[in-house]
Amino acid sequence: MGEERVIGATIILYKPDMDVTRQLLQSVIDQIDVVSIIDNSPEPTPIQFPSANFHYHHYPKNIGIAAAQNVGLLDLKSAGCEYGLLLDQDSAIDDDFAFRLSSLLVASKIEERPLVAIGPRIICSFSEKSVKPRVQREIAVYDELVCVTQIISSA
């Protein structure tokens, strides 16, 4: 029997395309225990979420991405989440995305690898090839993990 993981997600909104955001929310509902939405839009975004573990904060003056992420992470921490995803309104995640990322973190702890965060590789939507940004210098490779000096802030 596997370890029970409480996984949360913080989603940052700013005048979202609701069709895209609804797709993200549907993916999130199926794999996340706690959701915190930080809405930096001038007007509140109408969102229906079928969960008691849902937090919504509206900041019409736009507090910025980093401050919004911190608000969401505090929600997740106070809800007892062991893991937290940072997502943008237009993030697209697979059906097992949260489980795969959290499993890699668990495995890295067991193997005593010095990881503090984990994120996806950026895939070009035109070529479907992995993109290697200059600022994400590879420093080590372990099986499925490529250790870099920094990761993107979404997912």
Side-chain angles (χ1 to χ4, degrees):
M1 184 127 193
E3 160 191 335
E4 180 67 25
R5 300 176 203 145
V6 180
I7 303 172
T10 293
I11 303 171
I12 311 303
L13 303 180
Y14 181 76
K15 298 182 181 180
D17 172 331
M18 285 310 294
D19 290 335
V20 173
T21 300
R22 272 190 212 92
Q23 288 177 2
L24 172 62
L25 290 174
Q26 189 56 54
S27 295
V28 166
I29 287 168
D30 296 336
Q31 52 187 310
I32 302 294
D33 303 301
V34 179
V35 177
S36 178
I37 293 182
I38 314 303
D39 190 355
N40 277 329
S41 305
E43 299 297 322
T45 303
I47 294 188
Q48 301 294 321
F49 207 84
S51 170
N53 290 325
F54 172 70
H55 307 265
Y56 176 86
H57 304 274
H58 180 234
Y59 294 97
K61 295 194 188 286
N62 191 346
I63 61 172
I65 293 171
Q69 288 174 335
N70 286 333
V71 169
L73 288 171
L74 285 173
D75 281 345
L76 302 186
K77 184 177 179 183
S78 68
C81 293
E82 185 175 356
Y83 301 101
L85 283 173
L86 297 174
L87 301 167
D88 297 326
Q89 65 198 27
D90 59 353
S91 297
I93 60 173
D94 295 335
D95 293 340
D96 63 346
F97 185 78
F99 176 78
R100 284 186 298 123
L101 287 184
S102 64
S103 294
L104 288 170
L105 274 175
V106 168
S108 73
K109 284 181 187 177
I110 291 168
E111 295 175 13
E112 298 179 2
R113 294 182 182 154
L115 297 180
V116 294
I118 193 165
R121 277 225 185 250
I122 301 168
I123 305 295
C124 175
S125 61
F126 298 109
S127 68
E128 297 296 322
K129 292 182 181 177
S130 180
V131 175
K132 292 185 181 181
R134 285 178 274 157
V135 296
Q136 292 178 338
R137 258 185 334 107
E138 292 184 5
I139 55 176
V141 177
Y142 306 113
D143 301 323
E144 292 184 61
L145 298 176
V146 177
C147 296
V148 294
T149 53
Q150 62 187 30
I151 61 175
I152 63 172
S153 67
S154 180

